[in-house]
Amino acid sequence: MATDLNAAFQKMRGAPKRTPMGNVIVKVEKINEKTITGEIQNGPNAGTSIEFKPGGHLDVADYKKGKTKVIEGEGLLRVEGLKEGKDGVYDTRWCKTFVGKPDDKHTIINDAQVSLYASVNRDGTPKRDVNKAQIMNLIELHADGEVLVESADDFRKAIVDSMVNGRTAAVVGATDEFFNMTMAAPKGDTDKDGKYTVTETPKDVADRLVANLGGDEPLNELLGQMKIAVVPVTRHNVGSDTSMAIETTLKEKGPDAMVGTVDPKDFVPMSIGLRLANALRSQDKEVVAQIEDAFMATASDAGKKALMNSKGGFAGVAKHDVEAFLEAHGVELEDHGSRGWSKNSVALTERYNNADSKMVIKSFRTGGISAYPLLKVTEPLNERVRDEMTRAVDTVLEGLRAKAGVQEEAPAAKKAEEKAPAQKAEDEKPAKEAEGAEAAAEETNDADAEAGIDDLLNSLAEEEPEA
């Protein structure tokens, strides 16, 4: 198995900056009688050895036998909901095998910022490979290579510099209210025997993109209107068996099914209900009570029942009920699209024993889901998403106070200002890290189950825009 360079450098830095928690990949060092000891492979605590009790339906002994067998010293487990326990032993919500018996054919990528693209034809039908599996790709953005361009010459150089070691490039344009990402890759030709050969060089690609815009002058004018960044990209193709398993699982068990390979739900932005629940988590109890009372006063019977039975507050309320409530109080939410980006650990293996061709067999989300990729060029957009629900809470409260004839400072805005540093880091927190978020996230899926399988697949079923 290829060495994880990120984990090696994290280990070299020394002691972790914080207590391990959230979702982690663990290399098993020893399977004890009631616990497992292993080394964290991802995140700020990579290289840290921990002892934990594996949660879920498997006992410790199960990791020594059958399909779940994990080789000590090599095998990898995906651990969800890691948190401090008693006597130095960590507790977990769920645990299962990630790659139990890795070999030289496997490659593990940790802390990758990715999104899932399910390819479709122009008529909207799934684009399938020779095995009749829908073609899916995990698109990895290498944010450390992001270049904010200031001129046409900068643009050309950034494109060429991005296209090394099999990588292509993403051209990302953004303002406070606009976002577009176009994939740039060398083109080629197919001969009479069906063999495809790339014929363009990186320089050819850069020149073509500039020419498509009309030349240097139009591009420079565009750069005066918005920020444009060029980001190196790696396209990881999802294996046919994995792709077919995803479709089969969702069709047989519904959109809320747990997909143990590559879960499409890990690339869909958090629901409106969960976003509202997160915004209220930092507010005083009085504010939360006011918002909930206002909702209960006008909500449908289903909406009232959902909120009363939800452990995660509005996270358990269906999208249309939350939208109706906010709209009734003068809140218009922005459309941030249906695609999300998240930090993942990704497992790949050789395709047909070809060392030059890798395919994705599993991914595991280890961080939160953001509506826009976490890049320098998209910081204003991600800031708007983070602040949007706080502004929504203020709007509702102002309306309620106006009805009551009371004028005072909006407490949500004041509270948000006090907690600005913590809010800004929200997108980079480990998945379900905050207390109560586990139940909230689970209930969100139940609340929006009526969206159905087609909506879930269609939210990701688009060909990534290519230039």
Side-chain angles (χ1 to χ4, degrees):
M1 183 176 67
T3 300
D4 189 324
L5 297 180
N6 184 61
F9 273 82
Q10 289 280 8
K11 189 173 183 179
M12 183 174 62
R13 292 188 189 111
K17 296 180 180 179
R18 63 184 182 187
T19 302
M21 63 190 306
N23 290 1
V24 296
I25 293 292
V26 175
K27 178 189 287 187
V28 174
E29 296 172 335
K30 186 178 180 181
I31 300 176
N32 310 306
E33 184 177 350
K34 295 182 179 181
T35 63
I36 294 175
T37 302
E39 182 183 87
I40 295 176
Q41 301 296 293
N42 64 290
N45 294 293
T48 302
S49 183
I50 59 171
E51 182 180 359
F52 63 94
K53 299 175 183 176
H57 65 290
L58 297 176
D59 294 324
V60 172
D62 292 321
Y63 293 106
K64 291 187 175 183
K65 59 186 180 182
K67 292 182 179 180
T68 57
K69 184 176 181 179
V70 177
I71 299 176
E72 293 183 343
E74 298 179 33
L76 301 173
L77 295 179
R78 48 177 280 177
V79 177
E80 301 180 28
L82 181 74
K83 62 182 180 181
E84 277 191 291
K86 296 180 181 179
D87 301 323
V89 177
Y90 286 80
D91 293 324
T92 64
R93 185 180 69 255
W94 194 266
C95 181
K96 66 181 296 184
T97 302
F98 190 57
V99 180
K101 306 169 187 176
D103 55 35
D104 291 340
K105 296 179 181 179
H106 289 99
T107 298
I108 307 298
I109 304 171
N110 289 307
D111 301 316
Q113 182 177 186
V114 297
S115 189
L116 178 66
Y117 283 79
S119 298
V120 296
N121 297 305
R122 292 188 176 182
D123 62 1
T125 58
K127 184 180 291 186
R128 300 190 180 277
D129 60 20
V130 294
N131 297 311
K132 298 185 178 180
Q134 182 167 10
I135 298 173
M136 298 183 183
N137 293 288
L138 280 181
I139 302 299
E140 179 185 4
L141 295 178
H142 300 279
D144 56 346
E146 177 186 8
V147 175
L148 289 169
V149 298
E150 298 181 356
S151 67
D153 288 340
D154 286 349
F155 181 83
R156 287 190 178 90
K157 184 177 187 305
I159 291 291
V160 172
D161 290 346
S162 292
M163 294 185 178
V164 295
N165 300 323
R167 294 177 177 179
T168 55
V171 180
V172 183
T175 67
D176 289 350
E177 300 178 347
F178 171 85
F179 171 79
N180 182 275
M181 184 165 71
T182 296
M183 301 298 172
K187 291 185 177 182
D189 295 314
T190 303
D191 62 22
K192 61 181 180 180
D193 297 322
K195 183 180 179 180
Y196 182 82
T197 303
V198 173
T199 56
E200 281 189 325
T201 66
K203 182 179 181 302
D204 292 334
V205 176
D207 290 340
R208 171 167 52 83
L209 295 177
V210 175
N212 288 345
L213 280 171
D216 287 20
E217 187 174 342
L219 175 55
N220 287 327
E221 289 179 2
L222 187 62
L223 288 168
Q225 301 172 29
M226 69 170 65
K227 291 182 178 180
I228 294 180
V230 175
V231 187
V233 167
T234 300
R235 181 194 304 256
H236 303 290
N237 181 246
V238 177
S240 297
D241 290 345
T242 301
S243 175
M244 287 190 283
I246 293 170
E247 283 193 279
T248 299
T249 300
L250 294 176
K251 289 178 180 178
E252 290 182 352
K253 299 182 179 180
D256 298 333
M258 179 184 290
V259 181
T261 51
V262 178
D263 195 338
K265 295 189 293 298
D266 287 342
F267 310 100
V268 177
M270 68 176 69
S271 72
I272 291 175
L274 182 54
R275 290 176 61 202
L276 179 56
N278 285 343
L280 291 173
R281 188 172 290 122
S282 63
Q283 303 303 322
D284 296 330
K285 292 182 179 179
E286 292 78 6
V287 170
V288 177
Q290 281 183 280
I291 298 296
E292 291 183 345
D293 289 346
F295 176 83
M296 296 296 284
T298 59
S300 65
D301 289 341
K304 292 176 183 178
K305 183 178 180 180
L307 183 59
M308 287 189 294
N309 295 333
S310 172
K311 295 178 182 178
F314 282 96
V317 181
K319 176 182 178 182
H320 63 268
D321 284 316
V322 178
E323 285 181 331
F325 164 64
L326 294 176
E327 288 173 3
H329 289 269
V331 175
E332 291 187 18
L333 297 176
E334 299 176 29
D335 181 8
H336 300 292
S338 58
R339 175 175 306 287
W341 294 83
S342 58
K343 188 174 290 186
N344 282 252
S345 288
V346 181
L348 305 98
T349 191
E350 292 181 4
R351 188 192 306 273
Y352 307 126
N353 295 316
N354 181 356
D356 296 326
S357 178
K358 299 279 188 177
M359 62 182 178
V360 175
I361 53 174
K362 287 183 180 179
S363 67
F364 177 48
R365 182 165 66 86
T366 55
I369 306 173
S370 60
Y372 302 99
L374 298 180
L375 300 167
K376 289 178 287 188
V377 72
T378 56
E379 282 180 0
L381 287 168
N382 282 313
E383 194 70 37
R384 286 176 71 90
V385 175
R386 281 189 288 267
D387 293 343
E388 187 174 33
M389 276 301 172
T390 299
R391 297 195 302 269
V393 170
D394 282 344
T395 299
V396 174
L397 291 175
E398 288 168 4
L400 295 175
R401 280 193 296 272
K403 286 183 179 180
V406 178
Q407 297 295 328
E408 59 184 65
E409 181 184 2
K414 182 178 180 181
K415 202 80 172 180
E417 185 176 346
E418 295 171 355
K419 293 180 175 287
Q423 287 293 321
K424 187 166 185 178
E426 184 66 28
D427 286 330
E428 297 179 352
K429 283 185 177 181
K432 306 178 182 68
E433 178 176 321
E435 183 177 356
E438 300 151 358
E442 291 167 2
E443 289 186 73
T444 302
N445 292 333
D446 294 335
D448 290 321
E450 69 270 18
I453 300 168
D454 290 340
D455 286 343
L456 177 61
L457 293 177
N458 289 340
S459 68
L460 300 167
E462 57 176 310
E463 191 69 72
E464 57 269 28
E466 289 193 359

